[in-house]
Amino acid sequence: MIRGIVKGLIVFLLAAIFSVQGVYAEPAVISQQAAGYTLEFPGSRYPETGAHIRDAIASGHSAVCTIDRDGAEENRKESLKGYPTKKGYDRDESPMAMCAEGGAGADIRYITPSDNRGAGSWVGHKLDDYADGTKVEFIVK
């Protein structure tokens, strides 16, 4: 009988610990949806890039990125045509060059290098393990 009480107490304590951890745990950044994945982009961490993604989507560009790393170089070349470099700024593309939806017709904005490169690195790390062809919907938080 004592063993039963002790086992019950242990189960209760473990359940309490896990429920508390769930409340304080950082939410998943990438979640799977029926048609692919959703990536919550941290707009407060990279405000210029976040605003650019949000504005590009609002103006009709795709929120979904079909990963196409092999096409990134050609997409970048096509999207940046007619947009000269500016000292002190990067040319940001939305949709990104690594997306099949990127390339010619992408929305281009001049933003600070630290914001652009930090955002690019963040996205790259988040999507490292996903194969080409994977669909990821960007949601700016």
Side-chain angles (χ1 to χ4, degrees), residues 20-101:
V20 169
Q21 284 181 340
V23 169
Y24 295 105
E26 185 173 323
V29 174
I30 298 179
S31 58
Q32 187 170 9
Q33 304 297 316
Y37 296 87
T38 300
L39 175 67
E40 294 180 3
F41 182 84
S44 59
R45 187 170 176 186
Y46 305 106
E48 292 177 77
T49 302
H52 185 207
I53 294 169
R54 189 179 292 118
D55 293 347
I57 293 168
S59 71
H61 289 277
S62 181
V64 174
C65 168
T66 306
I67 300 173
D68 179 22
R69 292 176 185 90
D70 292 339
E73 187 176 333
E74 182 63 25
N75 280 351
R76 185 169 289 109
K77 188 170 91 174
E78 288 299 313
S79 67
L80 297 178
K81 275 185 188 174
Y83 291 90
T85 60
K86 280 188 179 180
K87 187 175 180 169
Y89 292 94
D90 281 355
R91 297 169 292 173
D92 186 45
E93 307 141 90
S94 189
M96 298 171 190
M98 67 168 285
C99 305
E101 296 79 8

Side-chain angles (χ1 to χ4, degrees), residues 111-128:
I111 64 174
T112 59
S114 60
D115 192 283
N116 184 45
R117 295 172 195 180
S121 176
W122 186 90
V123 169
H125 288 303
K126 294 297 179 187
L127 300 182
D128 267 347

